[in-house]
Amino acid sequence: MADLFRILAAFLALYMQRITPGAPKLQPIVRPPTATATRTATFTPTPTATFTIPPTKPPTQPPPTATAKPAVSSADPVGFAVVGVPPAQKLPAAFLVYPLVRSLTTSDRTIDTTIELMNLSSTLVTLQCFYVQGTTCNEIGFWVTLTGQQPIAWKARTGVGGTGRRVAPPFTGDGELKCAVVPNTSDVSSYNTVQGRAIVSDAPTQPVASDTAAQTVGYSAIAFRRLSSGDFTGEIALDGITYEMCPDRLHFQVLANKGDFDSELILVPCAQDLERQLPSGANIQLAVINEFENRLSGATSVKCFNRISFGTLPSLRRTSVGTDTAHLIVYGTDVPVVGLVIDRFKVPDTGAPSTSSNEPYLEGGRPAIVQLP
Amino acid sequence: MRRPALYDAGGAEVMKRAGHVAVTVVLWGTLGAVLAVRAYAAPPAQKLPSALLVYPLIEACPSGDRACALTDEDGGDTRIELVNLTGASQQVQCFYVYGDTCNEIGFFIALTPYQPLSWFATQGLNNVITGSSAPPFVGVGELKCAVVPPESATDLSAHNSIQGRATVFRANGRTVSYGAVGFQRLTPGPYTGEIQLNGSTYAQCPDKLHFDVFADQPTGTPSTASELILLTCSEDLVLQAPKTITVQLLVVNEFEQTVSLASKVTCFDRRTLGALGGPLERTTLGSETAHLIVRGSEGPLLGLVIDDVPFAGLSGTAGNEPSFQGGRSATVLLP
């Protein structure tokens, strides 16, 4: 279809040139006409994070960051005008980011994550995946192969899937997971093939009769589509040309912290150099708007992974917000970020604990680079 | 009398130019047709500011209300959330649709710039200052909300402005939250109440829904029963004329073995995965998870899975939103 479109566009352009009065006479065509209607990105970001790896000496430049600063805007809640195009979600994608993977066993709680990957194409797909430890920012890499339409799932703690086969190395602690499609061909359709999801479960290690349900958070991995053909190099340029851009800002609708049950904000920077193990770090600007349209601001930071309880953010306490729900806008000032909120509240009347995921709405786009080893 | 130029000495030139125009029109037409075909099969991109939101599951049953079907005796409720992502005020027209009768209840919501708004379905909402009011809803069904821009503002930014999500919880704490399915407006124009999800006026409905689901374990410890909720993308709320759609389901297990199933949906359907037949039970499926592909034969569908996840001797619930593939046209008619 794309070829037909290009040929038609080229033919039309030639014909228009032919019938335009005063147009220079057409020269004999030696080669078949090349497409004149080349696809051009409507947003032309400048991928400034084009770092090169010096072969001998250790790097001296800072880790890759999206340095293109949007214009300051006093009308905007976070102070910067929205730029760029965000990544479209729920579509077959080439690069997945799972912002929260937890695996922990203590004397009173057992926490584990079921990671799901699904091949939406009918061909074999190979993925290069990396856990990133939240405390050390170190990575653990592995490869996953999916046959046509195959679903696969494994527990982070053991790395073992439902069929009893080990899929990934065991993972302990808190962190994130990134998976990139390594295609068989350089065509875009070979890249955009997968989707992912994770379920973080938390239950008492020794359940008693009053424990009726595990606390479960299920969320979809944030997905980036490949936009142009080319070979896979390990450099995931989220620039709106090679891959979709990172979201400029994240919008959450959250429950204000009431003290008895604390929601959490999980943030991961979009730019990451896993080859040189250089976390990019980001300062985070928060804008909080309550149901009366009153605005508050706040700030925090993230190195490579951060779990922040709402109770530690004064602008998200019920006493500050003034209403039960708030519109939270998260903006990485240096590097765009992706993230997730875990909503926690007590069910009215019964007081039973309730936990659920809260995925952000994405607005705008900024470039970033993820460098895989 | 002067003859028409077509027959005079320059007639040949005129004919030649007319021929050029005809060829040009044909070429542009062909190009347009190609573009139209290219627009076909485009699913709606999610998590972006949208003009139409569909909440596939609203469950609101006061404790002890046995008339409220499909819920347990503990009762449950849904916190519905709507947020304005723009710096301009927005009017939103919403409709609850009952799952059993397919009847609707309509209301209007006003959102100030960047305003978040939430309410419990059983309690509704009333704000005399903004004019927002949501009636109490008791039962199981869906919610649709469409942005109604001011008549003077017909550009896309006036349409694509909201997002929403819902948290469905039971009295015992079992909770499912999900993001509403969002459709973006693609071309400027006034709001008419006829929402053409055709890839030209609004984004299309998804052709196929892909879920990664846990196999049911009805006799396991703990026993688990995930649920599949489906609703038709086309809906005529003006004539209240629900349409029945045949659903084709394809199940692929982790060994790439494939089984097909079928079902039917009239405006809204909710059933456990086990009720779809044996293939989605753990003992039959042969693996812990399955790739479930859902496609409506006579028209596109939207849906949601409620995962019932076994963990450490207990079970927990989580919303499982589908991935989309392809696109098909549908129309939503609002009164």
Side-chain angles (χ1 to χ4, degrees):
Chain A
M1 187 57 70
D3 290 342
L4 177 62
F5 172 74
R6 278 196 284 272
I7 291 165
L8 272 169
F11 189 46
L12 182 64
L14 285 169
Y15 192 78
M16 292 300 290
Q17 189 185 6
R18 173 76 178 84
I19 64 172
T20 303
K25 208 171 177 68
L26 287 174
Q27 297 299 314
I29 297 171
V30 178
R31 292 180 301 175
T34 53
T36 54
T38 52
R39 190 161 25 147
T40 54
T42 51
F43 175 77
T44 53
T46 51
T48 53
T50 52
F51 59 88
T52 52
I53 303 163
T56 52
K57 63 177 185 178
T60 53
Q61 73 264 44
T65 56
T67 53
K69 287 282 175 66
V72 172
S73 166
S74 59
D76 192 276
V78 294
F80 295 95
V82 178
V83 294
V85 180
Q89 297 300 294
K90 305 288 179 195
L91 311 180
F95 181 57
L96 302 175
V97 179
Y98 297 76
L100 177 65
V101 177
R102 300 194 73 195
S103 167
L104 196 66
T105 303
T106 63
S107 57
D108 57 340
R109 307 297 300 178
T110 299
I111 302 169
D112 203 352
T113 305
T114 303
I115 295 158
E116 297 178 344
L117 263 173
M118 189 165 56
N119 182 359
L120 300 180
S121 76
S122 299
T123 57
L124 190 85
V125 171
T126 304
L127 293 112
Q128 190 178 13
C129 294
F130 295 89
Y131 287 121
V132 181
Q133 291 276 2
T135 48
T136 62
C137 300
N138 290 342
E139 55 87 5
I140 312 165
F142 56 99
W143 295 77
V144 177
T145 302
L146 296 171
T147 54
Q149 307 289 354
Q150 190 192 5
I152 198 168
W154 71 92
K155 293 269 195 289
R157 192 163 63 89
T158 59
V160 175
T163 57
R165 188 173 64 90
R166 184 180 293 280
V167 179
F171 177 84
T172 305
D174 288 1
E176 55 148 335
L177 174 67
K178 286 183 161 76
C179 286
V181 172
V182 181
N184 301 320
T185 71
S186 59
D187 193 62
V188 171
S189 61
S190 293
Y191 280 95
N192 299 326
T193 51
V194 295
Q195 264 293 352
R197 202 167 160 265
I199 297 163
V200 185
S201 299
D202 180 346
T205 303
Q206 300 293 332
V208 294
S210 58
D211 295 315
T212 55
Q215 301 298 306
T216 309
V217 174
Y219 69 87
S220 301
I222 296 165
F224 298 86
R225 286 180 300 167
R226 178 89 180 197
L227 301 177
S228 53
S229 301
D231 293 334
F232 179 82
T233 60
E235 179 181 300
I236 313 283
L238 305 169
D239 54 8
I241 298 169
T242 314
Y243 288 83
E244 287 181 306
M245 279 194 277
C246 270
D248 181 52
R249 62 194 61 194
L250 312 176
H251 292 261
F252 294 97
Q253 188 160 359
V254 297
L255 301 170
N257 169 260
K258 286 183 176 176
D260 55 350
F261 233 55
D262 209 0
S263 297
E264 286 179 74
L265 173 65
I266 290 111
L267 293 175
V268 173
C270 230
Q272 204 162 30
D273 185 352
L274 294 178
E275 187 163 43
R276 289 179 290 170
Q277 302 281 316
L278 293 172
S280 52
N283 289 319
I284 308 296
Q285 187 70 38
L286 305 172
V288 180
I289 300 142
N290 72 5
E291 295 185 29
F292 304 118
E293 214 190 325
N294 301 129
R295 286 188 198 177
L296 299 167
S297 65
T300 184
S301 64
V302 56
K303 192 177 172 192
C304 62
F305 171 90
N306 203 354
R307 271 178 62 216
I308 309 154
S309 69
F310 280 17
T312 63
L313 295 169
S315 53
L316 282 171
R317 292 181 194 143
R318 176 68 173 79
T319 48
S320 309
V321 177
T323 57
D324 282 348
T325 61
H327 178 181
L328 170 65
I329 307 174
V330 178
Y331 180 84
T333 53
D334 313 303
V335 177
V337 293
V338 292
L340 177 74
V341 160
I342 298 176
D343 273 340
R344 291 199 177 93
F345 67 94
K346 284 189 172 175
V347 174
D349 300 332
T350 65
S354 164
T355 306
S356 59
S357 67
N358 185 344
E359 297 170 35
Y361 316 123
L362 313 177
E363 189 180 25
R366 272 187 291 161
I369 288 184
V370 178
Q371 182 69 48
L372 306 180
Chain B
M1 194 174 109
R2 183 173 167 76
R3 286 179 297 180
L6 193 62
Y7 300 104
D8 65 15
E13 182 62 28
V14 172
M15 286 294 284
K16 193 175 167 187
R17 286 213 169 272
H20 285 321
V21 169
V23 172
T24 307
V25 166
V26 168
L27 276 172
W28 277 114
T30 312
L31 196 61
V34 170
L35 283 171
V37 172
R38 287 163 64 88
Y40 189 76
Q46 295 302 292
K47 305 291 177 191
L48 311 179
S50 299
L52 172 72
L53 299 177
V54 179
Y55 297 74
L57 176 65
I58 306 293
E59 180 184 277
C61 296
S63 182
D65 185 350
R66 288 173 181 273
C68 189
L70 292 171
T71 61
D72 57 21
E73 290 179 29
D74 288 337
D77 205 345
T78 303
R79 182 196 287 272
I80 299 161
E81 297 178 351
L82 199 59
V83 63
N84 180 0
L85 299 177
T86 69
S89 295
Q90 301 294 341
Q91 281 281 334
V92 183
Q93 189 179 15
C94 294
F95 295 89
Y96 287 121
V97 182
Y98 284 99
D100 49 355
T101 62
C102 301
N103 291 341
E104 54 88 6
I105 316 170
F107 54 96
F108 278 90
I109 296 287
L111 294 170
T112 55
Y114 297 109
Q115 190 192 7
L117 194 63
S118 75
W119 69 92
F120 289 112
T122 54
Q123 296 173 10
L125 169 78
N126 187 21
N127 188 325
V128 291
I129 299 171
T130 62
S132 292
S133 67
F137 176 85
V138 175
V140 179
E142 54 148 331
L143 173 67
K144 283 187 163 70
C145 287
V147 174
V148 183
E151 287 185 9
S152 56
T154 57
D155 62 315
L156 289 180
S157 62
H159 285 277
N160 299 327
S161 55
I162 59 167
Q163 263 295 355
R165 68 188 277 274
T167 305
V168 184
F169 57 89
R170 297 276 176 86
N172 61 8
R174 293 170 76 87
T175 305
V176 172
S177 79
Y178 64 85
V181 182
F183 293 87
Q184 288 198 304
R185 176 96 179 192
L186 302 178
T187 50
Y191 173 81
T192 61
E194 181 178 320
I195 299 183
Q196 292 283 357
L197 304 170
N198 55 8
S200 172
T201 314
Y202 288 83
Q204 279 184 309
C205 280
D207 181 42
K208 290 178 186 171
L209 310 178
H210 292 259
F211 295 97
D212 203 341
V213 298
F214 282 92
D216 261 8
Q217 299 189 46
T219 57
T221 307
S223 66
T224 58
S226 298
E227 291 178 88
L228 173 66
I229 292 123
L230 292 174
L231 48 148
T232 56
C233 216
S234 286
E235 202 155 36
D236 184 351
L237 295 179
V238 177
L239 298 176
Q240 300 278 316
K243 194 174 156 188
T244 298
I245 287 181
T246 307
V247 185
Q248 287 292 338
L249 301 116
L250 198 69
V251 181
V252 186
N253 71 5
E254 293 186 33
F255 303 110
E256 211 188 332
Q257 293 166 318
T258 303
V259 178
S260 66
L261 299 164
S263 181
K264 285 191 184 296
V265 175
T266 303
C267 87
F268 180 92
D269 186 74
R270 178 183 184 178
R271 62 184 71 199
T272 61
L273 295 184
L276 288 166
L280 280 164
E281 288 187 4
R282 177 71 173 84
T283 48
T284 315
L285 185 69
S287 65
E288 201 169 61
T289 60
H291 179 181
L292 174 63
I293 306 171
V294 181
R295 186 179 188 274
S297 297
E298 295 90 357
L301 300 166
L302 296 173
L304 178 74
V305 161
I306 298 176
D307 273 337
D308 198 358
V309 187
F311 183 71
L314 299 171
S315 72
T317 49
N320 183 346
E321 301 166 32
S323 304
F324 298 148
Q325 191 176 31
R328 265 194 294 171
S329 297
T331 304
V332 179
L333 291 170
L334 304 179

